[in-house]
Amino acid sequence: VDTYLAVDIGGTGIRVAIFPEEGTQALAIKRISTRGAGTPLERFYALLNEMWPVNDHVRALGVAAAGPLDTRAGIIYSTPNIPGWINLPLQSMLEERHHVPVILGNDANLAAVGEWKYGAGRDHKDLVYLTISTGIGGGVILNNELMLGSRGLAAELGHIVVDPSGPTCSCGLRGHLEAMASGTAIGKRAAEQLAAGRKSILAKDPPPTAKDVSIAAYQGDALAVEVLTKAATILGKTLADFAHIFNPSIFILGGGVTQAGPIWFDAVNAALKTGVYDPGYLIDLKVVQAELKDNAGLLGALALARQLAHK
Ligand SMILES: [Zn+2]
Protein backbone atom coordinates (compact mmCIF):
# COMPACT_ATOMS: atom_id res chain seq x y z
CA VAL A 1 0.00 0.00 0.00
CA ASP A 2 1.13 3.58 -0.64
CA THR A 3 1.56 5.78 2.43
CA TYR A 4 2.78 9.27 3.33
CA LEU A 5 4.74 10.36 6.37
CA ALA A 6 4.09 13.72 8.00
CA VAL A 7 6.31 15.22 10.68
CA ASP A 8 5.68 18.15 13.00
CA ILE A 9 8.77 19.56 14.72
CA GLY A 10 7.69 21.94 17.47
CA GLY A 11 9.58 23.71 20.21
CA THR A 12 9.13 20.94 22.75
CA GLY A 13 8.10 17.84 20.81
CA ILE A 14 8.38 15.96 17.53
CA ARG A 15 5.41 14.10 16.05
CA VAL A 16 5.55 11.56 13.25
CA ALA A 17 2.36 10.28 11.60
CA ILE A 18 1.66 7.78 8.82
CA PHE A 19 -1.21 8.56 6.47
CA PRO A 20 -2.87 6.50 3.74
CA GLU A 21 -3.17 7.56 0.07
CA GLU A 22 -6.41 9.45 0.78
CA GLY A 23 -8.04 11.15 3.75
CA THR A 24 -6.79 12.76 6.93
CA GLN A 25 -7.09 9.89 9.38
CA ALA A 26 -3.60 8.84 10.52
CA LEU A 27 -2.80 5.11 10.45
CA ALA A 28 -0.33 5.66 13.27
CA ILE A 29 1.00 8.66 15.17
CA LYS A 30 3.64 9.10 17.85
CA ARG A 31 5.06 12.07 19.74
CA ILE A 32 8.38 12.35 21.56
CA SER A 33 9.97 15.17 23.52
CA THR A 34 12.89 16.93 21.82
CA ARG A 35 14.71 16.66 25.14
CA GLY A 36 16.07 13.38 26.53
CA ALA A 37 18.86 10.92 25.77
CA GLY A 38 20.79 11.85 22.61
CA THR A 39 20.64 14.96 20.45
CA PRO A 40 17.28 16.10 19.05
CA LEU A 41 18.40 14.89 15.59
CA GLU A 42 19.30 11.42 16.94
CA ARG A 43 15.97 11.25 18.73
CA PHE A 44 14.14 12.30 15.56
CA TYR A 45 16.01 9.70 13.45
CA ALA A 46 15.21 6.98 16.01
CA LEU A 47 11.51 7.91 15.92
CA LEU A 48 11.51 7.82 12.10
CA ASN A 49 13.17 4.37 12.11
CA GLU A 50 10.63 3.13 14.61
CA MET A 51 7.65 4.50 12.66
CA TRP A 52 8.86 3.74 9.12
CA PRO A 53 6.42 1.28 7.50
CA VAL A 54 8.18 -2.03 6.82
CA ASN A 55 5.68 -3.54 4.40
CA ASP A 56 4.19 -0.41 2.85
CA HIS A 57 5.67 2.00 0.32
CA VAL A 58 6.30 5.58 1.48
CA ARG A 59 5.65 7.94 -1.44
CA ALA A 60 6.84 11.15 0.21
CA LEU A 61 7.68 12.77 3.53
CA GLY A 62 6.46 16.22 4.59
CA VAL A 63 7.99 18.11 7.50
CA ALA A 64 6.48 21.07 9.35
CA ALA A 65 8.96 22.93 11.55
CA ALA A 66 8.78 26.05 13.71
CA GLY A 67 11.06 28.91 12.82
CA PRO A 68 12.45 30.42 9.65
CA LEU A 69 13.20 27.92 6.90
CA ASP A 70 13.36 27.78 3.11
CA THR A 71 10.96 25.32 1.49
CA ARG A 72 12.64 25.53 -1.94
CA ALA A 73 16.19 25.06 -0.61
CA GLY A 74 15.06 22.53 2.02
CA ILE A 75 17.03 24.28 4.77
CA ILE A 76 16.00 25.11 8.34
CA TYR A 77 17.65 28.46 9.14
CA SER A 78 16.86 28.06 12.84
CA THR A 79 14.14 26.58 15.02
CA PRO A 80 13.12 27.59 18.55
CA ASN A 81 14.35 25.44 21.45
CA ILE A 82 16.65 23.28 19.27
CA PRO A 83 19.82 25.41 19.48
CA GLY A 84 21.98 23.23 17.19
CA TRP A 85 19.69 23.38 14.18
CA ILE A 86 21.22 26.34 12.34
CA ASN A 87 21.22 26.26 8.51
CA LEU A 88 20.37 22.56 8.70
CA PRO A 89 19.80 21.01 5.22
CA LEU A 90 17.17 18.67 6.61
CA GLN A 91 15.55 17.92 3.24
CA SER A 92 18.68 16.44 1.64
CA MET A 93 19.65 14.72 4.90
CA LEU A 94 16.30 12.91 5.02
CA GLU A 95 16.29 12.15 1.28
CA GLU A 96 19.73 10.52 1.52
CA ARG A 97 18.70 8.60 4.58
CA HIS A 98 15.30 7.31 3.40
CA HIS A 99 15.41 7.57 -0.43
CA VAL A 100 11.99 9.24 -0.72
CA PRO A 101 11.07 12.80 -1.80
CA VAL A 102 11.04 15.18 1.17
CA ILE A 103 9.56 18.67 1.55
CA LEU A 104 9.89 21.13 4.47
CA GLY A 105 7.54 23.92 5.45
CA ASN A 106 7.22 26.59 8.13
CA ASP A 107 4.62 25.38 10.64
CA ALA A 108 2.32 28.42 10.36
CA ASN A 109 2.53 28.27 6.54
CA LEU A 110 1.71 24.57 6.67
CA ALA A 111 -1.18 25.18 9.07
CA ALA A 112 -2.54 27.51 6.36
CA VAL A 113 -2.06 24.74 3.80
CA GLY A 114 -3.74 22.21 6.11
CA GLU A 115 -6.79 24.45 6.59
CA TRP A 116 -6.91 25.16 2.85
CA LYS A 117 -6.80 21.50 1.79
CA TYR A 118 -8.63 19.78 4.64
CA GLY A 119 -10.16 22.38 6.96
CA ALA A 120 -12.04 25.68 7.08
CA GLY A 121 -10.45 26.94 3.84
CA ARG A 122 -11.70 24.21 1.50
CA ASP A 123 -13.23 25.76 -1.65
CA HIS A 124 -11.25 28.99 -1.19
CA LYS A 125 -8.33 29.90 -3.41
CA ASP A 126 -7.32 33.12 -1.65
CA LEU A 127 -7.00 32.80 2.11
CA VAL A 128 -5.13 34.33 5.01
CA TYR A 129 -4.48 32.17 8.06
CA LEU A 130 -3.35 33.48 11.44
CA THR A 131 -2.53 31.57 14.58
CA ILE A 132 -2.94 33.70 17.68
CA SER A 133 -1.50 32.05 20.77
CA THR A 134 1.67 32.89 22.74
CA GLY A 135 2.92 34.41 19.45
CA ILE A 136 1.24 35.23 16.14
CA GLY A 137 2.11 33.31 12.99
CA GLY A 138 0.63 33.37 9.54
CA GLY A 139 0.28 31.82 6.14
CA VAL A 140 -1.13 33.14 2.88
CA ILE A 141 -2.59 31.19 -0.05
CA LEU A 142 -3.07 33.26 -3.20
CA ASN A 143 -4.61 31.86 -6.36
CA ASN A 144 -4.30 28.31 -4.97
CA GLU A 145 -0.61 28.69 -4.18
CA LEU A 146 1.26 29.09 -0.90
CA MET A 147 3.02 32.46 -0.84
CA LEU A 148 6.70 31.83 -0.01
CA GLY A 149 8.73 34.87 -1.05
CA SER A 150 12.25 34.85 -2.48
CA ARG A 151 13.87 32.99 0.41
CA GLY A 152 10.78 31.32 1.82
CA LEU A 153 10.42 33.88 4.59
CA ALA A 154 7.14 35.50 3.55
CA ALA A 155 3.88 35.75 5.51
CA GLU A 156 5.34 36.52 8.95
CA LEU A 157 2.08 38.28 9.69
CA GLY A 158 2.77 38.65 13.42
CA HIS A 159 5.91 40.70 12.85
CA ILE A 160 4.48 43.81 11.26
CA VAL A 161 4.53 47.18 13.02
CA VAL A 162 1.16 48.31 14.31
CA ASP A 163 2.55 50.87 16.79
CA PRO A 164 6.13 52.15 16.39
CA SER A 165 6.20 53.17 20.06
CA GLY A 166 4.50 49.99 21.27
CA PRO A 167 5.94 47.22 23.46
CA THR A 168 8.92 45.10 22.44
CA CYS A 169 8.11 41.92 20.53
CA SER A 170 9.56 38.43 21.17
CA CYS A 171 11.73 39.06 18.08
CA GLY A 172 13.32 42.12 19.72
CA LEU A 173 11.66 44.78 17.56
CA ARG A 174 9.10 47.26 18.77
CA GLY A 175 5.35 47.50 18.29
CA HIS A 176 4.72 44.35 16.27
CA LEU A 177 1.23 42.86 16.02
CA GLU A 178 2.45 39.90 18.12
CA ALA A 179 3.51 42.27 20.91
CA MET A 180 0.08 43.93 20.87
CA ALA A 181 -2.49 41.21 20.19
CA SER A 182 -1.08 37.76 21.10
CA GLY A 183 -2.05 35.81 24.21
CA THR A 184 1.21 36.87 25.81
CA ALA A 185 0.41 40.52 25.06
CA ILE A 186 -3.07 40.20 26.60
CA GLY A 187 -1.62 38.75 29.82
CA LYS A 188 1.12 41.38 30.01
CA ARG A 189 -1.28 44.28 29.37
CA ALA A 190 -3.57 43.06 32.17
CA ALA A 191 -0.62 42.65 34.55
CA GLU A 192 0.58 46.20 33.81
CA GLN A 193 -2.87 47.62 34.52
CA LEU A 194 -3.11 45.68 37.80
CA ALA A 195 0.34 46.92 38.82
CA ALA A 196 -0.84 50.47 38.08
CA GLY A 197 -3.59 49.96 40.66
CA ARG A 198 -6.60 49.24 38.44
CA LYS A 199 -9.45 47.46 40.19
CA SER A 200 -10.26 43.99 38.89
CA ILE A 201 -11.23 40.48 39.95
CA LEU A 202 -7.98 39.32 38.30
CA ALA A 203 -5.23 38.25 40.70
CA LYS A 204 -1.84 39.99 40.50
CA ASP A 205 0.11 36.91 41.47
CA PRO A 206 0.62 34.72 39.56
CA PRO A 207 0.32 37.18 36.64
CA PRO A 208 -2.85 36.64 34.59
CA THR A 209 -2.81 34.63 31.37
CA ALA A 210 -4.93 35.47 28.32
CA LYS A 211 -7.28 32.68 29.42
CA ASP A 212 -7.67 34.25 32.89
CA VAL A 213 -8.43 37.58 31.23
CA SER A 214 -11.09 36.09 28.97
CA ILE A 215 -12.75 34.22 31.86
CA ALA A 216 -12.83 37.45 33.90
CA ALA A 217 -14.25 39.32 30.89
CA TYR A 218 -17.25 36.98 30.80
CA GLN A 219 -17.75 37.57 34.54
CA GLY A 220 -18.18 41.24 33.68
CA ASP A 221 -14.80 42.49 34.85
CA ALA A 222 -14.34 45.92 33.23
CA LEU A 223 -10.53 45.78 33.04
CA ALA A 224 -10.58 42.30 31.48
CA VAL A 225 -13.18 43.37 28.89
CA GLU A 226 -11.08 46.44 28.06
CA VAL A 227 -7.82 44.50 27.65
CA LEU A 228 -9.42 41.73 25.57
CA THR A 229 -11.31 44.20 23.38
CA LYS A 230 -8.21 46.32 22.81
CA ALA A 231 -6.16 43.34 21.62
CA ALA A 232 -9.03 42.18 19.38
CA THR A 233 -9.47 45.66 17.91
CA ILE A 234 -5.78 45.90 17.02
CA LEU A 235 -6.01 42.48 15.36
CA GLY A 236 -9.19 43.44 13.46
CA LYS A 237 -7.65 46.68 12.16
CA THR A 238 -4.65 44.67 10.99
CA LEU A 239 -6.94 42.17 9.25
CA ALA A 240 -8.30 45.17 7.32
CA ASP A 241 -4.71 45.96 6.25
CA PHE A 242 -4.26 42.32 5.20
CA ALA A 243 -7.53 42.59 3.24
CA HIS A 244 -6.08 45.60 1.41
CA ILE A 245 -2.90 43.67 0.58
CA PHE A 246 -4.17 40.16 -0.16
CA ASN A 247 -7.94 40.58 -0.75
CA PRO A 248 -8.72 37.09 0.58
CA SER A 249 -12.18 35.48 0.52
CA ILE A 250 -11.59 34.05 4.01
CA PHE A 251 -9.61 34.81 7.17
CA ILE A 252 -9.00 31.65 9.21
CA LEU A 253 -8.06 32.31 12.82
CA GLY A 254 -6.45 29.57 14.91
CA GLY A 255 -4.62 29.38 18.24
CA GLY A 256 -5.68 29.56 21.87
CA VAL A 257 -6.77 33.21 21.89
CA THR A 258 -9.55 32.42 19.38
CA GLN A 259 -11.21 30.42 22.18
CA ALA A 260 -11.97 33.76 23.88
CA GLY A 261 -15.52 33.81 22.48
CA PRO A 262 -17.82 36.59 21.24
CA ILE A 263 -16.32 39.50 23.25
CA TRP A 264 -13.07 38.95 21.36
CA PHE A 265 -14.50 37.79 18.03
CA ASP A 266 -17.11 40.58 17.74
CA ALA A 267 -14.43 43.22 18.40
CA VAL A 268 -12.19 41.66 15.71
CA ASN A 269 -15.05 41.75 13.20
CA ALA A 270 -16.11 45.29 14.09
CA ALA A 271 -12.57 46.63 13.66
CA LEU A 272 -12.18 44.78 10.36
CA LYS A 273 -15.45 46.24 9.04
CA THR A 274 -14.55 49.84 9.94
CA GLY A 275 -10.90 49.35 8.92
CA VAL A 276 -11.33 48.67 5.21
CA TYR A 277 -11.35 51.79 3.04
CA ASP A 278 -13.82 50.29 0.56
CA PRO A 279 -16.78 48.01 1.33
CA GLY A 280 -15.82 45.87 -1.68
CA TYR A 281 -13.28 44.04 0.50
CA LEU A 282 -16.08 42.76 2.75
CA ILE A 283 -18.28 41.26 0.03
CA ASP A 284 -18.42 37.49 0.56
CA LEU A 285 -15.50 37.79 3.03
CA LYS A 286 -15.63 35.17 5.78
CA VAL A 287 -13.88 35.32 9.16
CA VAL A 288 -13.88 31.88 10.78
CA GLN A 289 -12.15 29.81 13.42
CA ALA A 290 -9.64 27.19 12.30
CA GLU A 291 -10.97 23.63 12.18
CA LEU A 292 -7.87 21.46 12.46
CA LYS A 293 -6.57 22.70 15.85
CA ASP A 294 -3.23 21.06 16.81
CA ASN A 295 -3.14 18.93 13.66
CA ALA A 296 -3.13 21.80 11.15
CA GLY A 297 0.67 21.78 10.67
CA LEU A 298 0.85 18.01 10.43
CA LEU A 299 -1.96 17.92 7.86
CA GLY A 300 -0.29 20.73 5.91
CA ALA A 301 2.89 18.63 5.79
CA LEU A 302 0.74 15.72 4.53
CA ALA A 303 -0.77 17.97 1.82
CA LEU A 304 2.67 19.07 0.61
CA ALA A 305 3.93 15.46 0.60
CA ARG A 306 0.95 14.36 -1.52
CA GLN A 307 1.46 17.32 -3.88
CA LEU A 308 5.14 16.39 -4.21
CA ALA A 309 4.38 12.74 -5.01
CA HIS A 310 1.86 13.70 -7.68
CA LYS A 311 4.13 16.19 -9.46
ZN1 LIG B 1 8.22 40.71 16.14
Side-chain angles (χ1 to χ4, degrees), residues 257-280:
V257 174
T258 62
Q259 306 296 315
I263 295 179
W264 181 85
F265 220 87
D266 291 352
V268 171
N269 270 309
L272 167 60
K273 285 205 171 71
T274 54
V276 291
Y277 84 89
D278 184 285

Side-chain angles (χ1 to χ4, degrees), residues 116-197:
W116 168 48
K117 288 288 183 187
Y118 309 121
R122 285 182 307 258
D123 310 321
H124 289 264
K125 59 191 185 68
D126 301 290
L127 72 83
V128 173
Y129 168 87
L130 280 147
T131 171
I132 305 128
S133 54
T134 51
I136 294 183
V140 176
I141 312 284
L142 283 182
N143 201 20
N144 278 331
E145 209 169 309
L146 176 66
M147 189 184 82
L148 291 171
S150 64
R151 293 190 72 225
L153 301 174
E156 284 295 347
L157 304 181
H159 300 286
I160 61 158
V161 178
V162 294
D163 179 0
S165 56
T168 304
C169 185
S170 68
C171 71
L173 296 174
R174 195 173 269 279
H176 281 177
L177 178 65
E178 176 171 308
M180 309 281 294
S182 65
T184 310
I186 291 168
K188 267 190 187 165
R189 173 85 188 151
E192 280 165 17
Q193 294 293 309
L194 292 173

